[in-house]
Amino acid sequence: MSTTRHDSMLPGENVAARRVLLVCLAAGATTLLDQAVLNIAVPSMRHSLGAGAADVQWIVAGYSLAFGLALVPGGSLGDLHGRKRLFLAGMAVFLLAGVVAATGGGPGTVIGARLVQGAAAGIVNSQVIGTIQDVFHGLDRGRALGMYAVTAGVATALGPPLGGALVAGLGPGTGWRYCLLLSTPCAVVTLSLAARWLPPPRRTARDSRLDILGLGLACACTLTLMVPFIRTPDSGGAALLWAAGVCALACAFIAHQRIRVRRGRVPLVHPALASSRPYMVGTAVAMAQFGSSIAASLVLTVFLQDGLGLSALLTAAISLPSAIAMGVSSAFAWRLVRRIGLRTVSVGLTLGVCAALASAVAALFVPSAALPVVLAATQLLSGAAGGLAVSPNQTQVLQHAPAEAAGVGGGILQMAQRIAAAVCLSAVSAVYLHSASGSAGDNGPRTAYALASCVCAALLAAALVLARLRRAAVAPRSPRPDYLTVKSPRDDRQHDGRSPQER
């Protein structure tokens, strides 16, 4: 098999495929680590910049906002014009914007740079998903997508420990700036490797006309949905106006997509995506799981530092077991998938519910001296749960995205997760802050954290119900997915009389 052919590359047998996968994993880790590492440095950043609460909220949430908005357009452009150029351009902009944000002297500069950086990260990640689906097939696609999902999850989990170490070691005045610069060397390496190793640009979509109106409606709908959770409306009437705007834009988008299909043009959301129940339900599972994990991480950080008065370094140490456990369990996840199939997702979500409930019980009843150790143990269980649930679920979802809409399918999945993150961050943190301020005495933060953990457990329980319903509905009617089936060379020879090397 030639190393320059990208139709069926196996990570274990082809050098070119391994290099492509390495670039994709490096890009996912770089862009998602940049987002996660800043959360623990928010207090010192706010003091250093003299920023208000709204400024800090835009700095933290603006990255996710721009990230989500850029995913679907980035996927569409990659499908139409090839992925390598967009990957390189997006990574270069990401790198430059990160340097501007880290050296910014005021909140406005940092906010603007983070918005640009988030948009560039969204463009890069939409190309990553599309590239993996272009290069790998069958079992190897499942492995590659699983490794990407796990890499992203581990990078997200490593963010708080790394951020805490930088703030503790360099001081609050400059530590947050180095948190923003942490992704710079990673971006430089990723950019240089991508220029050498990514496959040449090629168009995968048949229709060369980009759905500009569909892109505009999708972006407007996403922005209208996410902004109220970043900046809470002043009144109930204002919230209803935002909700009405979301509904109107969503209806206009759906109508436009149907009109485009009737006219024989490819819409922004490929019809195969909207009609695929496994894709839609799996996306909902991913939204609930991702939103719960992001919200739980932020609330834990706030509880440990503000509620218990722990240092940033100790907070980082408590968060570290989650990243370690996720990396270990993800390596075991695919062995479990071979044995029990997609029930692995349900096992992971069940463990996640148990971890969240255990955190709530610990916050209420464990003495203060032992609480950090117990919470580190619950983080260990939470990380193991994420490793079992994330990659098998994402692989199953993207398995149902057609080749000509691979970039858009991956972009929609990630955009849905970003929207869920914005909603859950706002809702769960509001539950914690309101409960902490309304409770008297030293037990107020403990009660608030327990309540927030129960909300996260409820989100994971909803994801578990969806996962079980999906499995019950799909399994009796569908053949075993090819990423769960291992074909031997003999099976391939029986298929057409030739070995894989001969073909």
Side-chain angles (χ1 to χ4, degrees):
M1 181 182 295
S2 170
T3 58
T4 58
R5 181 180 177 181
H6 298 284
D7 294 337
S8 180
M9 292 184 174
L10 306 182
E13 299 179 7
N14 193 285
V15 174
R18 292 199 300 269
R19 288 175 173 175
V20 170
L21 182 58
L22 178 62
V23 172
C24 292
L25 298 183
T30 299
T31 54
L32 294 175
L33 176 65
D34 184 84
Q35 180 181 16
V37 76
L38 190 60
N39 288 343
I40 204 167
V42 165
S44 59
M45 178 182 62
R46 180 178 181 178
H47 178 74
S48 176
L49 291 175
D55 294 328
V56 172
Q57 199 169 16
W58 272 107
I59 292 172
V60 175
Y63 185 94
S64 289
L65 174 64
F67 195 122
L69 289 176
L71 283 167
V72 172
S76 296
L77 292 171
D79 290 336
L80 289 170
H81 303 294
R83 312 192 194 284
K84 184 172 183 176
R85 296 188 190 95
L86 284 170
F87 183 102
L88 295 175
M91 186 58 70
V93 173
F94 174 87
L95 173 62
L96 295 175
V99 174
V100 173
T103 57
T109 302
V110 178
I111 290 171
R114 291 292 287 174
L115 288 171
V116 173
Q117 194 177 26
I123 291 174
V124 168
N125 277 271
S126 58
Q127 308 319 311
V128 166
I129 291 291
T131 298
I132 289 176
Q133 302 216 145
D134 290 344
V135 172
F136 300 99
H137 301 277
L139 177 66
D140 302 298
R141 177 187 287 180
R143 288 173 174 172
L145 289 171
M147 291 178 68
Y148 169 75
V150 170
T151 300
V154 172
T156 301
L158 278 174
L162 291 175
L166 286 173
V167 172
L170 300 174
T174 58
W176 68 270
R177 296 186 183 275
Y178 282 91
C179 287
L180 288 173
L181 285 174
L182 185 63
S183 62
T184 300
C186 302
V188 171
V189 173
T190 302
L191 192 60
S192 62
L193 294 180
R196 296 172 54 194
W197 290 349
L198 283 186
R202 65 183 182 90
R203 194 176 71 188
T204 57
R206 292 187 296 267
D207 193 340
S208 61
R209 291 168 293 184
L210 184 62
D211 184 6
I212 300 297
L213 180 57
L215 288 177
L217 289 172
C219 291
C221 185
T222 304
L223 183 65
T224 307
L225 178 63
M226 294 179 73
V227 166
F229 289 97
I230 295 174
R231 302 190 68 171
T232 306
D234 297 330
S235 63
L240 288 176
L241 286 177
W242 281 107
V246 171
C247 293
L249 289 168
C251 291
F253 175 77
I254 293 172
H256 170 70
Q257 297 296 285
R258 291 178 176 176
I259 292 172
R260 194 169 175 87
V261 170
R262 284 199 297 268
R263 293 178 177 177
R265 299 178 179 178
V266 177
L268 179 65
V269 179
H270 197 281
L273 298 178
S275 62
S276 173
R277 183 176 179 183
Y279 179 87
M280 299 302 291
V281 176
T283 299
V285 171
M287 290 175 69
Q289 192 278 332
F290 187 78
S292 174
S293 63
I294 292 293
S297 176
L298 178 62
V299 170
L300 175 65
T301 299
V302 175
F303 170 62
L304 292 175
Q305 293 189 75
D306 293 345
L308 299 183
L310 302 182
S311 66
L313 187 60
L314 185 54
T315 300
I318 294 172
S319 303
L320 183 60
S322 175
I324 296 174
M326 188 168 190
V328 173
S329 66
S330 63
F332 174 75
W334 289 104
R335 296 183 181 181
L336 193 60
V337 167
R338 297 279 184 84
R339 292 178 177 272
I340 65 175
L342 290 176
R343 288 193 295 271
T344 305
V345 178
S346 298
V347 173
L349 292 172
T350 301
L351 290 177
V353 172
C354 294
L357 293 177
S359 297
V361 172
L364 291 175
F365 300 109
V366 174
S368 298
L371 185 56
V373 177
V374 175
L375 289 178
T378 62
Q379 286 298 294
L380 189 73
L381 182 59
S382 178
L388 294 177
V390 172
S391 58
N393 180 68
Q394 177 168 294
T395 302
Q396 196 276 338
V397 172
L398 295 178
Q399 180 75 13
H400 295 272
E404 65 269 21
V408 174
I412 290 175
L413 173 61
Q414 290 201 45
M415 184 181 72
Q417 291 177 312
R418 297 295 155 184
I419 292 173
V423 173
C424 293
L425 279 170
S426 176
V428 177
S429 61
V431 168
Y432 173 81
L433 294 173
H434 178 75
S435 180
S437 61
S439 302
D442 296 335
N443 289 329
R446 283 173 168 259
T447 303
Y449 178 69
L451 184 58
S453 297
C454 288
V455 174
C456 293
L459 289 171
L460 291 174
L464 177 61
V465 171
L466 289 172
R468 293 181 66 86
L469 290 176
R470 174 187 62 186
R471 183 167 57 85
V474 174
R477 299 194 300 269
S478 301
R480 187 175 178 84
D482 57 2
Y483 61 87
L484 297 182
T485 303
V486 181
K487 292 183 179 181
S488 66
R490 182 177 179 179
D491 295 332
D492 290 330
R493 184 182 294 274
Q494 290 173 351
H495 179 70
D496 62 359
R498 294 180 296 163
S499 69
Q501 290 77 12
E502 294 169 338
R503 289 199 300 272

